[in-house]
Amino acid sequence: MAQLCSVCGKELTPNARFCASCGAVVSEKPVEVTGTIHSLGTTTTDSGPLLAVESPELTKIAPGTFELLIVRGPASGSRVELVGQEMTVGRSPEAAIFLDDITVSRLHARFERTGAGWRLVDLGSLNGTYVSRDRIDTVDLKAGDQIQIGKYRFHYLAGEAEGVVEN
């Protein structure tokens, strides 16, 4: 029976103490895959336990909408809908997405609307912006991308566009 990390949902190496994908400490009872249902275990970090959140693969959102699922950070399990033409992220109270963390720059990054979805642009932050574990300057996001800003981790969710029948 495969075991999954309760933070990122990736398969764990047997008897692993840390997740090879996200580095989270594995508790005594990691997530186990039972058919198509994922039962979530407990994962801890230096700052305490992380709350289990729904699996991004199992998350459905409305067609044509875009959201960030917070999988690590104080608001773990919450969602942020991406709306408008751009949204800033940072420690500044004026940021559209306020992240109260000293490792986040005041104006850290910006989400920009594109025709097909969203682009993420780092605004010269000190600690960088990461997408799927790679430090980025600018990247067009695709469904399922993992975004790391400071101690916060998000999954980018994209609602499938409603099908257009062509004749």
Side-chain angles (χ1 to χ4, degrees):
M1 188 178 300
Q3 296 177 333
L4 301 178
C5 174
S6 62
V7 175
C8 69
K10 299 295 182 182
E11 188 171 335
L12 296 171
T13 305
N15 301 318
R17 294 181 59 212
F18 300 92
C19 175
S21 180
C22 71
V25 178
V26 176
S27 70
E28 293 178 12
K29 294 184 179 182
V31 176
E32 296 181 359
V33 178
T34 54
T36 58
I37 299 172
H38 300 275
S39 57
L40 298 177
T42 302
T43 304
T44 59
T45 65
D46 292 341
S47 59
L50 294 174
L51 301 174
V53 297
E54 59 194 297
S55 171
E57 293 81 16
L58 302 176
T59 304
K60 300 291 184 206
I61 63 172
T65 62
F66 301 90
E67 295 180 353
L68 300 174
L69 171 64
I70 304 172
V71 295
R72 182 182 242 168
S76 187
S78 300
R79 297 177 187 210
V80 176
E81 185 174 2
L82 297 174
V83 295
Q85 292 302 307
E86 71 175 41
M87 294 180 74
T88 56
V89 180
R91 201 170 23 109
S92 169
E94 289 82 36
I97 302 171
F98 173 70
L99 302 179
D100 190 14
D101 174 15
I102 195 69
T103 63
V104 175
S105 298
R106 290 184 60 70
L107 286 177
H108 195 100
R110 180 178 56 239
F111 288 93
E112 300 174 345
R113 182 82 167 141
T114 65
W118 289 83
R119 173 179 299 128
L120 179 57
V121 179
D122 183 84
L123 298 176
S125 65
L126 181 62
N127 292 315
T129 302
Y130 296 82
V131 173
S132 300
R133 302 182 76 70
D134 293 324
R135 189 169 182 160
I136 60 100
D137 289 321
T138 300
V139 66
D140 288 333
L141 297 169
K142 57 188 179 307
D145 277 344
Q146 294 180 22
I147 301 166
Q148 179 92 30
I149 298 174
K151 294 179 182 176
Y152 289 82
R153 183 170 296 143
F154 307 89
H155 282 276
Y156 174 71
L157 306 175
E160 295 180 12
E162 297 187 78
V164 177
V165 179
E166 294 181 18
N167 292 331

